[in-house]
């Protein structure tokens, strides 16, 4: 199956309208984002698009990083018709093991409501010191 799908960081291949539709209408975390916000977030992130053999867009994720000590995995999704094929796992594995990071990162972060078990398989865990983490929303 892996040979049937490719992952690219070429932003020109992304279907931004589909990304916007998914995040705004089908995700719990992206509600209310404008297409302009989506474009800006893509412009300022390392993005990963997943495609089938016919070059159809099937999934997306982005990483906000300094390429040295920190990376924040965000907006990961696989479109509904392509789910239950292990593509989410393939995408996460590709990202966290990508040569662009060369094992120099000290900390990966992500937020999830319902995919804890998926991400645990790739070394993610609850914060060691949640009392040190603050956020502003």
């Amino acid at each position: 199956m892996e040979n049937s799908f490719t992952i690219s960081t070429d932003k020109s291949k992304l279907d931004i309208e589909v990304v916007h539709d998914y995040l705004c209408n089908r995700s719990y975390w992206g509600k209310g984002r404008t297409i302009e916000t989506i474009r800006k977030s893509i412009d300022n992130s390392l993005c990963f698009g997943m495609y089938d053999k016919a070059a159809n867009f099937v999934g997306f994720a982005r990483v906000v990083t300094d390429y040295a000590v920190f990376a924040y995995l965000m907006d990961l999704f696989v479109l509904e018709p392509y789910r239950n094929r292990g593509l989410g796992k393939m995408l996460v594995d590709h990202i966290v093991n990508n040569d662009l990071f060369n094992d120099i990162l000290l900390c990966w972060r992500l937020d999830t409501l319902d995919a804890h078990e998926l991400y645990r398989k790739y070394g993610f865990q609850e914060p060691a010191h949640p009392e040190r983490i603050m956020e502003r929303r």
Side-chain angles (χ1 to χ4, degrees), residues 14-42:
L14 293 172
D15 189 331
I16 294 174
E17 288 76 21
V18 172
V19 173
H20 176 252
D21 176 66
Y22 185 89
L23 292 175
C24 285
N25 299 315
R26 294 181 275 174
S27 77
Y28 63 83
W29 66 89
K31 303 263 188 248
R33 291 187 199 170
T34 65
I35 194 147
E36 293 80 17
T37 299
I38 300 295
R39 283 192 179 105
K40 189 173 184 178
S41 69
I42 287 171

Side-chain angles (χ1 to χ4, degrees), residues 79-123:
L79 295 173
E80 292 86 349
Y82 297 93
R83 291 192 182 160
N84 300 312
R85 301 183 195 185
L87 297 179
K89 293 175 188 170
M90 182 179 159
L91 188 53
V92 174
D93 185 69
H94 179 87
I95 293 168
V96 300
N97 293 304
N98 195 290
D99 289 340
L100 291 169
F101 302 119
N102 291 325
D103 297 326
I104 57 174
L105 294 172
L106 299 177
C107 180
W108 278 90
R109 170 140 185 212
L110 64 81
D111 292 345
T112 185
L113 180 65
D114 57 1
H116 295 79
E117 293 309 311
L118 166 67
Y119 293 115
R120 277 192 184 98
K121 294 176 184 175
Y122 299 95

Side-chain angles (χ1 to χ4, degrees), residues 1-20:
M1 175 193 51
E2 284 191 26
N3 294 336
S4 300
F5 295 89
T6 59
I7 299 170
S8 172
T9 57
D10 183 348
K11 293 178 186 179
S12 70
K13 293 180 173 184
L14 293 172
D15 189 331
I16 294 174
E17 288 76 21
V18 172
V19 173
H20 176 252

